[in-house]
Amino acid sequence: MPYLTITDTVPRTSGAERFGFGVPGCAHPLLAPAEWAELARPGTPLHWAVLNIDNGPGSRPDPHCLEAAGRLRNARERAVHDEDPRDAVRAAGGRLLGHLDLALGDRPFAELIADARSFLDWYRVDGFYLDRCPAERAGLPAVRRLTGTLAALLDDGERPAGRGSGPLVLAPGTHPYPGYAEAADQLVTFRGPWTDYRWSQVAEWTAAYPPEKFAHFVHGVPCTHLEEAMRIARWQGAGTIFFTDRDDRQGQTDPFVTLPRYWDEIVSRIGPGISE
C-alpha cells in the first residue's frame, strides 16, 4: 500500500483499540458555540480538545472560554461517574488542553511557562498542546526542558481540584526525530490535506509505540473517503484523529476551527461499539 513503509506486515492496531477525536482548536466559543456544545455532548468520543484564545491564554480570563471549559470538564466528570457506555472514550480521555505556540523553537521559555500558568489558573486545563513544535534533533533538549517543567506544573499538588493531569501533546505536524516520542505523551505526526495523506508514509521507528502515541489531523477529506482515511490511520498506528471536509481555500486560513459537515456521521462511525 502506498501509505506504508513497512512491508509484509499487519495493521498496526489489533482491533481492540478505539479511535477518538483530538480537536486541535475550535474557534472562540463566542464564534463557534455549536462546536463547543457538540464536544460536550454525551457520546462524543473525545480524547482531548484545545483551548486557544489569542494564540495562547489571552491577557485575562475570558467568560465565554470559562463557560466552555467548565462544560467540557463537567461532561468528563459525568462520563467518569455515570459509567454510561456511550461515553467510555470520554471517561478515559475528554481532556481540555491549553494551546502553547512554540514558534518552531523561537518562543522564550519564560513566555511559554507564563502562558501555561495562566491556562492552569484561569481555565484549569488538564494538559497542553505544543503547537509548531520543532522536529529536528537540535531542538529536542529545549523541548525536553519545557515538557519536564510543564509536567511538574501539572503535577503540582497545591492546585485545586480539577487541576491539570495531562496529557502533553507535541505538534510538529510531521514525523520528528525519534527522541521526541519520549518527551511527551503524544505526537501529531501528520497535519495537512487529504491529497497528501492518502499517499503518506509512516516512519519505521513509530512501530515501537502504541496507537495512543500518535495523532493525525487531515483536512479536505471527502465524506466518500472517510473509510479510506480511517484505514490509513489504522495502518499507520494513529489512535487520535480529526478528519474534516473543510479546507484552506476560499479564505479559510485554518480548516480545523470548525467541525466537518459530516460530524454526526464520523461520530457514529467511531463512537461506542465501533472498534476499528
Side-chain angles (χ1 to χ4, degrees):
M1 295 183 180
Y3 39 80
L4 294 176
T5 57
I6 305 171
T7 58
D8 298 323
T9 186
V10 295
R12 295 280 305 284
T13 58
S14 67
E17 298 87 352
R18 182 177 295 169
F19 280 138
F21 293 122
V23 183
C26 282
H28 188 282
L30 184 61
L31 301 176
E35 278 78 358
W36 284 97
E38 281 296 316
L39 296 184
R41 188 178 70 173
T44 299
L46 183 70
H47 284 169
W48 46 261
V50 177
L51 180 64
N52 184 6
I53 292 85
D54 184 18
N55 207 29
S59 58
R60 62 182 63 85
D62 182 300
H64 301 287
C65 294
L66 287 169
E67 180 181 3
R71 290 173 67 180
L72 206 63
R73 185 164 50 248
N74 291 339
R76 183 176 187 275
E77 287 298 311
R78 289 194 298 271
V80 169
H81 297 295
D82 292 349
E83 298 183 357
D84 188 333
R86 294 179 303 164
D87 262 345
V89 174
R90 185 191 300 277
R95 304 292 190 175
L96 181 67
L97 309 185
H99 179 277
L100 300 177
D101 183 2
L102 272 61
L104 301 179
D106 289 340
R107 283 284 306 283
F109 176 83
E111 283 186 13
L112 291 165
I113 295 304
D115 280 357
R117 290 184 182 276
S118 294
F119 269 122
L120 285 167
D121 292 341
W122 299 342
Y123 302 109
R124 295 165 59 189
V125 297
D126 302 298
F128 296 102
Y129 180 82
L130 281 63
D131 201 8
R132 295 203 294 165
C133 177
E136 298 79 16
R137 182 174 184 174
L140 181 56
V143 171
R144 279 178 171 161
R145 178 193 179 203
L146 176 61
T147 56
T149 304
L150 293 175
L153 288 175
L154 291 167
D155 288 338
D156 182 357
E158 296 181 1
R159 294 198 175 276
R163 63 181 175 82
S165 56
L168 296 175
V169 179
L170 300 181
T174 187
H175 288 96
Y177 175 73
Y180 282 89
E182 301 302 325
D185 299 291
Q186 193 171 56
L187 300 176
V188 179
T189 53
F190 187 93
R191 177 173 178 145
W194 167 242
T195 51
D196 290 344
Y197 188 62
R198 66 186 311 184
W199 306 111
S200 62
Q201 296 182 329
V202 62
E204 291 193 16
W205 63 262
T206 64
Y209 296 91
E212 55 265 29
K213 178 62 74 171
F214 304 106
H216 290 173
F217 301 144
V218 190
H219 61 79
V221 182
C223 184
T224 53
H225 288 276
L226 271 177
E227 184 60 38
E228 182 184 357
M230 288 191 285
R231 189 181 307 120
I232 294 171
R234 286 195 302 272
W235 276 92
Q236 293 196 1
T240 300
I241 60 172
F242 191 84
F243 298 152
T244 179
D245 55 346
R246 315 288 183 174
D247 55 41
D248 54 2
R249 294 174 291 184
Q250 299 178 340
Q252 179 70 61
T253 57
D254 187 348
F256 299 110
V257 297
T258 189
L259 298 178
R261 296 174 184 87
Y262 46 64
W263 175 250
D264 287 342
E265 178 171 347
I266 194 171
V267 167
S268 68
R269 282 175 180 252
I270 70 173
I274 304 296
S275 60
E276 291 296 338

